[in-house]
Amino acid sequence: NIDYLARKGCNVSRIFTPEHGMYGAEANGSEVGDTTYRGIPVISLYGKKMMPEKGDFEGLDIIIYDIQDAGLRFYTYISTLYNVIEATSKWGIPLLILDRPNPISASVVNGPILKEEFRSFVGTDTIPTRYGMTIGELGSFFNRKFNGDVSVVPLGGYRRASYYDELLNWFIPPSLNLPTLDSVINYSGMCLLESTDLSLGRGTPYPFLQFGKPGLPELDIKIPGLKLRKTVFRPIIDPFGNQGVEGYFMHITDRGTYQPNLLTLDIFTELYRKEFLEIDQRKLSILYGSRQLMEYLRNGKSPGEIIDSWSDGVSRFKEESSEYYLYS
């Protein structure tokens, strides 16, 4: 779209990029530097600074946001959107969001609600992990705090219950470790396991499609809509870089019944009970949005009980966020 705008005579004078850089090719967490594209300055908003500065907007008439998200709270593209809305509101620059589909359906809302004191760049607002909105709807929701000049170009023919591959004939990975739509679906729950010493397949061709750990015991997990297949894999990065890892490959057989959160919580509870899981409690609290999951594990709560504990917060969020829906 940058090239398209330039061909149509628009003066594209600055480009801003999120985590993973302009092409989605930088590793997660890597500091992305500024560069140029066809003579246009490219300013990174994931590096030495995360928030645009007033000088970055000098001479600009409008900012256009055109980035595909993953439909998940901890995916930092929406954190960049939040910061851009805050900055453009502060300095009086209009923001136009080109809407895109929620890749894992905008009809599913679940997960724990983030508590205000746990806000971070992997949790920028008090929303559930799977928020069930398009990027345009979510941007309008974020703007409730800033009352900036934010508008949305809506999608044509969009159905909020649709998954990405039901609307488009190809899937363009938003970053290196979400290469397929199934990996995004799994990531919606399994990101929480990045607070543990399990490998989630990063550094293999199948990130978020397999998990494991050297010496992993056999797991008694049966999840509707999912087939777990025993496997051994060798990631090229930590944890367990260049080691053989015993684990499971995840085959999604039915999106309609599969609950990634249930799988994640089953893994947590079973391995915690077997004392075969090291947990970075601070990181878990940041990803989960509170300290509650660690407390639930200590108290022996079942996965079903943990999921039930989210229901009131999810219901309140659905009611609040539905005011910003653009599609049925």
Side-chain angles (χ1 to χ4, degrees):
N1 278 350
I2 294 167
D3 295 337
Y4 178 84
L5 288 168
R7 285 198 305 270
K8 292 295 182 179
C10 295
N11 178 21
V12 181
S13 56
R14 230 151 292 159
I15 301 167
F16 299 92
T17 59
E19 185 181 7
H20 307 298
M22 185 163 169
Y23 302 101
E26 304 297 329
N28 59 296
S30 296
E31 183 175 302
V32 181
D34 295 346
T35 182
T36 60
Y37 175 76
R38 299 192 176 184
I40 304 170
V42 177
I43 299 171
S44 172
L45 297 180
Y46 192 87
K48 293 180 180 178
K49 65 180 176 184
M50 307 292 218
M51 174 81 74
E53 298 169 353
K54 186 175 183 179
D56 295 329
F57 295 150
E58 186 176 348
L60 300 185
D61 298 311
I62 192 168
I63 303 289
I64 298 174
Y65 185 95
D66 182 28
I67 301 174
Q68 176 64 56
D69 75 322
L72 299 166
R73 184 181 73 209
F74 20 67
Y75 203 66
T76 63
Y77 292 178
I78 68 167
S79 304
T80 296
L81 173 61
Y82 185 98
N83 285 355
V84 168
I85 292 173
E86 182 176 354
T88 54
S89 301
K90 181 177 180 180
W91 290 304
I93 305 293
L95 175 65
L96 180 67
I97 301 173
L98 306 188
D99 210 0
R100 295 202 179 198
N102 184 317
I104 54 175
S105 166
S107 65
V108 179
V109 181
N110 59 34
I113 303 291
L114 181 138
K115 293 187 176 180
E116 182 69 31
E117 60 267 33
F118 288 89
R119 287 186 60 220
S120 71
F121 206 68
V122 291
T124 196
D125 204 347
T126 52
I127 60 178
T129 52
R130 191 167 172 177
Y131 45 79
M133 305 173 82
T134 67
I135 197 70
E137 293 172 336
L138 185 66
S140 297
F141 176 81
F142 284 163
N143 193 42
R144 77 197 188 284
K145 293 184 175 181
F146 306 111
N147 197 30
D149 184 359
V150 176
S151 54
V152 179
V153 177
L155 297 161
Y158 180 67
R159 304 176 303 279
R160 63 184 318 106
S162 299
Y163 283 76
Y164 191 99
D165 58 1
E166 296 170 330
L167 301 165
L168 298 167
N169 294 326
W170 59 88
F171 179 80
I172 300 174
S175 59
L176 294 173
N177 286 291
L178 295 179
T180 69
L181 189 56
D182 280 357
S183 65
V184 184
I185 294 170
N186 285 332
Y187 178 67
S188 69
M190 297 189 73
C191 182
L192 297 177
L193 287 164
E194 296 210 87
S195 64
T196 73
D197 60 341
L198 287 175
S199 170
L200 301 180
R202 289 185 185 268
T204 78
Y206 308 107
F208 295 103
L209 295 172
Q210 54 189 355
F211 68 92
K213 178 180 175 180
L216 185 78
E218 187 164 340
L219 300 179
D220 183 22
I221 294 177
K222 294 179 176 60
I223 303 291
L226 181 76
K227 179 177 177 56
L228 291 178
R229 171 175 57 85
K230 281 188 178 181
T231 189
V232 175
F233 59 93
R234 187 179 294 273
I236 61 173
I237 59 174
D238 289 330
F240 315 119
N242 294 313
Q243 298 181 50
V245 174
E246 293 90 356
Y248 290 88
F249 198 98
M250 294 166 280
H251 298 274
I252 299 174
T253 59
D254 184 352
R255 293 174 186 166
T257 58
Y258 173 45
Q259 297 184 58
N261 286 321
L262 183 58
L263 172 65
T264 298
L265 294 173
D266 273 345
I267 295 169
F268 261 114
T269 54
E270 187 162 341
L271 292 181
Y272 185 81
R273 187 174 63 249
K274 293 179 176 179
E275 299 184 352
F276 199 76
L277 194 66
E278 294 182 16
I279 301 174
D280 181 333
Q281 296 185 28
R282 180 179 177 276
K283 187 172 183 180
L284 176 60
S285 297
I286 289 171
L287 291 171
Y288 191 81
S290 75
R291 296 188 182 90
Q292 287 181 319
L293 182 54
M294 202 64 229
E295 295 172 6
Y296 291 150
L297 293 173
R298 292 193 189 102
N299 294 330
K301 293 279 189 182
S302 70
E305 289 173 319
I306 296 171
I307 289 173
D308 287 345
S309 73
W310 304 335
S311 59
D312 288 346
V314 167
S315 294
R316 287 192 296 270
F317 174 77
K318 281 182 177 179
E319 184 176 353
E320 182 181 11
S321 63
S322 64
E323 298 178 20
Y324 302 89
Y325 286 1
L326 299 174
Y327 316 96
S328 59

